[in-house]
Amino acid sequence: MAIERRRLRVTGIVQGVGFRPFVYGLAQQHQVSGFVGNDSRGVFIEIEGDRAALDAFTDMLESSPPPLAHVESVSVQRIPAQNTNGFAIIASQHQSDARTFVSPDLCTCDDCLRELHDPADRRYRYPFINCTNCGPRLTIIHGLPYDRPQTTMAVFPMCAACQREYDDPANRRFHAQPNACPDCGPQIEFVAKGQRVAGDALALTVAALQAGQIVAIKGLGGFHLACDATHADAIQQLRQRKGRVDKPFAVMMRDLAMVEAYAECNAQEAALLLRRERPIVLLRRKPNTDLAEAVAPGNGYVGVMLPYTPLHSLLLEDINAPLVMTSGNVSGEPIIKDNDDALQRLAPLADAFLLHNRDIHIRCDDSVVRWVADHELPIRRSRGYAPFPVRLPFEVAPLLAVGGELKSTFCIATEQHAILSQHIGDMENLETLTAFGDLAAHYLRLFQITPQAIACDLHPRYLSTRWAQEFAAAQGIPVVSVQHHHAHIAAVMAEHGLSAEESVLGFCFDGTGFGTDGTIWGGEVLQASYADFERVGYLQPMPLPGGDSAVQRPYRMALAYLWQAGIAWDAVLPPVQACPAEEQRILARQLERNLQTVMTSSMGRLFDVAAALIGIRQQISYEAQAAIELEAYALDTDQGAYPLEWTSQNGALVIQPYAILKALVADIAAHTSPTVMATRFHTSIINLVVQLSEHYRQHLGQNTVALSGGVFQNIHILKPIVAQLHAQGFRVLTHRTVPPNDGGLALGQAVVAAHQLNNLGEDKN
Ligand code: ZN
Ligand code: ZN
Ligand code: FE
């Protein structure tokens, strides 16, 4: 029998996911000799045996890898046989010229949960139980390859029992880098009034929560501020201390049975909740439960997640009540991850602390998703998802894209991958900017990428734009400024794997983005490819008196829109009632003389104005609050719609909101119910997109419609638009992998910049 030897190289997410033990098992099964190891490019394997065995081994490797692995490629090379015996897992090799992917953090697996609850197991109720199939990854890794010395577990030498598991290729914990037990691993402690409290830290935490206290709990990617979600006073206290007026809090629930008691949850939503990424899923709240209204005031939805660490599981089982679990941060700043920092800066917010001594190397907030018809819609792509790469349909040079300002993320792209960072926060202060810079440096080091260009938003005053300019100057690389809405549309194109030659009709509806004409855009129809776009339609620019400050006061915007539409400020209109007489006087003068007024074609603002006119929301305390509350009013039934109008200017369509505004005002005068008006407004926007798509198909021959921008987080418009466009034979691209809001912007910037650089390169040739 002829003996052969082959060298295999496996790339993708193949480290920290039990890949080497899997290979070891395969080798035993097929009786091949050789070795397997990790290096910074992935996994390398040499196998020797008869040809049939080697073929079977390779087939299995490709067809049934371990559940958490994501194999990108397997290359096979024949090399001379060496007459080896046995199969070995060899030490990791450090190489500086390449990269591999890092697994996201993963929820506790069923095997570990079973042990956690087994009184006979040596890890019974141990809050840090994990194995190769679960546990922390991204958040504890300093560098690659993924090995214990390169993680924050390096400071916990394994006990003999743990070491045996770690060394045994047949064991579920073979080379599980965060492997630990109560004898050798991290521990929890309870701290109140600056003092460590003796006793069972978990029992003390449960008692504090049951007494209505707020406890800062260290988790996987940072601290949560927790309190009993049925305890209205505790939540009110938390809102007061955090300075968070209305913004919804996420709630952690023990299990699906508890979720079903509080929220509508269909089978797909249940599956989303149970995914190993364990995102927060936005679910419609059930009426008349004991969940405090203050959890998500004025919001028809509540963000729910299931426990994702062993500590969470124990906590939720012991307290057996839903817990508010909101990011432990000082308002507007990044989530806190270190004990010392928490003890200092969360002291004014928390009554007590549940700490542990496994350090979090990089922070990672919880992810948020919604279920739409037949797929998930990311709202915040973070823990569990980052840094899973988006596969690109083309090769790109190494690039860094820095995103926008709100919901900041960055993207590093190289070869055929785009790696989008976790959510960092709104880039409005130094703390967030610092966190952004640190994380970008960490990613570039971890993935060993030296960017050849940097992409940013066109907005000259975004902190991210300035950061990009400084970075580019220091590195001597070019900056590519990408128009905001073009980036949004390019992001959804890239997700769907469109090629460089393809173009789409893109509806980009959001709050704010800097236009190429220096005005604020946000209700845009773009004919776009990656390299270029044409603004073929837009919402009639409307005055925003006082610019960004008006955004906090929808009543003020409503008055400005009425003024522009030539509709009188009748005292029966809710926004007129909400605007003090003196402010009305000043506002009128501002509008007449065009003082400190910026013009915007924003669709987000039109939703704000509708919410104000209908009487739903006059002032906001968090981004998009008015639009979110407006969506909660909309019904699924047919209530009619407002008339649509558009005009033509320089070859572009200008969508006129006047007819909608007039019809809305007439409805108010006729005492139409807010739910009917909200529904009609939503239907009008749905009709607008569907009718315009048809119009452009006739004029531009464009059959592919892409939907992006924060407005498309609204599933009340997204679902019917997609359904109707499909019914009319359109190909429709919506977000499934990255958010439609500015959290997905960096992906679009990266692909646009890649193509613009390519084109420049070609021009030179
Ligand atoms: Zn496990
Ligand atoms: Zn141990
Ligand atoms: Fe945007």
Side-chain angles (χ1 to χ4, degrees), residues 122-123 126 148 157-163 165 179-185:
R122 71 189 188 91
R123 291 191 182 84
Y126 179 56
R148 196 167 175 110
M158 275 181 276
C159 68
C162 285
Q163 188 71 48
E165 296 166 332
N179 188 30
C181 78
D183 293 335
C184 65

Side-chain angles (χ1 to χ4, degrees), residues 109 112 130-131 133-134 172:
C109 74
C112 285
N130 67 80
C131 72
N133 294 323
C134 74
R172 191 156 70 72

